[in-house]
Amino acid sequence: MQQHKILITALFISLSILFCPGFAGAQDTVEEVMDSLLTRLYENLSLDELYVLNDEQVQERLLPNEHRILATKHWCFTVNVPVIVSVLRQVDQKVIPFWLEESGFLKTDLLVKNMENWTYEVWQKKFPAGRVELGINGFDNFRPHYLVCVGAQEPNAELRLTDFHPKNQTVVTMEKGALTYHDWTELVLTEVPEELQGQKLLPTIRGRAREACLVGSFRKTQFPSSDAPDPVFLTWSGNPQTTQNIQWRTSLNVDEGAVRYRAQGSNAEYKIVQASRLKMEDRMLANDRYCHWFTAVLKDLKAGTVYEYAAGSPSRDNWSETAEFKTAPATPEAFTFFYCSDTHNRKEWGNLLQTAFKRNPEAAFCVISGDLVGTGLHRDDWDAFLNYGEAMFRTRPVMPAIGNHDAQLGLGAGMYLDIFGLPENGPAEIPTESAYTIRYGNAEFFVLDVMSETEPQGVWLGEQLARSNAAWKIAVLHFPFYTNEEAYPDLIEAWGSQFDTYHVDLVFTGHIHTYLRTYPMKAEKRAASGEEGTIYITSVSIPSRARGNRNKPDFVEVWAGGGSFCNVININGDQLNFKAVTMDGSVKDEFTLEK
């Protein structure tokens, strides 16, 4: 499944109503109704009752005006001539949206299909010229949002659709090959009834289905926040020689945060750095809806120095356990780091990471090539990921890339970006911190976001690579370029060409839950050596089945199949050693590059 051509940066800006209170100028919106309804549900139902809430119970609690808004204010537009509106509803949705029949839509015998073999039944209603108002996708947590097709009642009428809500609606022709979801651009129509061909199709994003989801949507976290600072973890947003980001979470009871630190072994007084604070909401996290996230940025540190620190609240005198971190050396020295991928907030990955760290305590940091969690919109997944990784990440930074699970359904990677403090040196055309570059020793890392627009990142990547004087250039991204399962030609064209031009040594990827290493590649062909081509590695860090070895492509040098890998990389001057290591310490692949 390819999801990297995200075309919705402007298209569904107004979808911020899902997460941002106070939609400007709105008096009666779906968002306001859902906020009011959720408040009443939390006030009147226990956690156990919320977890088993059903569609009928939700509708019983709706006020008449709320019912009307949910039935008419979700998807709206104006037509200039009388039309027939077709609502294309995915047949696997068990509960039909309540407003369809009551507003006069009739189910037809027509069926529409897309290449995922999803079948949509067609409901139709005639509208006069004027406003067309449609309701929510339903109260259930069902991903495929309905689609809308509009045709003029008179065959020769010139139909115009205007005044959309959400704004910036894309309109395409209803035909085979037509786009359905902007967050999954390869998912196109494969079967279209003759009666609908040539009409106007309104694509959407699958994330719109979540605007009113309640049934089967309430969750709980295994790791609720408390007044104690936890989990505590490190990243970098600046120079690793002189800066350190320290982040943690608390309950809303804690209003202030700070880090105290000093050089390890020093008798000097602690320096205090105040932390920024963010109030985070996951409205469906029933046992911990709100929490505070804190970020402290330590600056003007001394290179190659071990510091001890604690995070907490000075006014409460409530501090985390003292931990340590070490800044990067002033001049390049040998160093070790980890590369993981597809960790999916699984405890098995946490055990793997801890085991690898015990074997390699010299590791300076860990890069993760995407899919850190199962669902990036769920804070409980991030709670689990950070708790399972904290044993290492409180003393060694984690530097991630965004995967398709971290930015799902066209709703972006907002929670990921709120949690991690990362460099802000990426391309201006995509969200800040979603792509970045960072230098450690004689290596520079170029982290790319497969869920944002490809082309501006390609331009930025070329500029960064052209000015880099690092001995080792390593790219980190989620989707693999070389696999016999899925193809990403636009990424290869936009980014692979830059890797070739400026000779990136290694590209770390994931996504397909297998381990493979290519021969050195250049212009999509095997190169003579690592000095002439780029080596692409795909890995996975949770237990996985072996996949993709039946027809081993010519570009694959090593295929280790499924498993769970924490890859250990050591760079010592002009030599780089790579080991693919499993939980029991077995080395499934190893190679050395020399400059």
Side-chain angles (χ1 to χ4, degrees), residues 2 36 48 74 110 163 185 208 212 216 250 381 416 482 492 527 573:
Q2 297 185 38
S36 177
D48 288 338
H74 177 68
L110 302 178
D163 194 19
T185 56
R208 290 217 69 197
T250 70
D381 278 16
Y416 166 105
Y482 293 97
I492 293 175

Side-chain angles (χ1 to χ4, degrees), residues 53-56 58 139-141 212-218 284:
L53 191 68
N54 61 41
D55 196 87
E56 183 179 349
V58 173
F139 294 113
D140 49 359
N141 192 9
C213 65
L214 293 172
V215 176
S217 301
F218 287 96
M284 308 312 295

Side-chain angles (χ1 to χ4, degrees), residues 264-338:
Q264 191 176 62
S266 169
N267 292 323
E269 291 188 8
Y270 282 107
K271 294 182 179 180
I272 302 291
V273 171
Q274 296 298 316
S276 63
R277 186 190 73 198
L278 170 71
K279 182 180 179 180
M280 182 179 289
E281 177 187 11
D282 181 342
R283 68 183 193 181
M284 308 312 295
L285 196 56
N287 68 331
D288 199 31
R289 181 177 178 181
Y290 298 100
C291 70
H292 278 153
W293 283 91
F294 293 91
T295 300
V297 182
L298 279 54
K299 300 179 180 180
D300 300 321
L301 303 175
K302 185 177 180 181
T305 302
V306 177
Y307 288 88
E308 59 186 33
Y309 78 93
S313 174
S315 64
R316 290 169 169 259
D317 196 26
N318 184 16
W319 299 95
S320 66
E321 293 183 7
T322 300
E324 49 86 16
F325 66 85
K326 185 178 181 180
T327 52
T331 57
E333 298 176 1
F335 69 96
T336 298
F337 69 95
F338 294 158

Side-chain angles (χ1 to χ4, degrees), residues 338 352 354-362 581-586:
F338 294 158
L352 172 71
Q354 290 185 43
T355 301
F357 191 38
K358 289 177 181 177
R359 293 193 187 109
N360 304 273
E362 75 283 4
V581 186
T582 60
M583 181 71 176
D584 64 3
S586 300

Side-chain angles (χ1 to χ4, degrees), residues 335-338 360 472 474 506 508 537 567-581 587 589-594:
F335 69 96
T336 298
F337 69 95
F338 294 158
N360 304 273
W472 298 97
I474 299 171
L506 296 170
F508 295 157
I537 299 172
N567 305 290
V568 183
I569 300 93
N570 177 266
I571 294 178
N572 188 357
D574 291 337
Q575 186 178 82
L576 181 150
N577 178 261
F578 182 103
K579 293 180 180 179
V581 186
V587 178
D589 182 27
E590 182 176 8
F591 65 93
T592 298
L593 297 176
E594 293 187 2

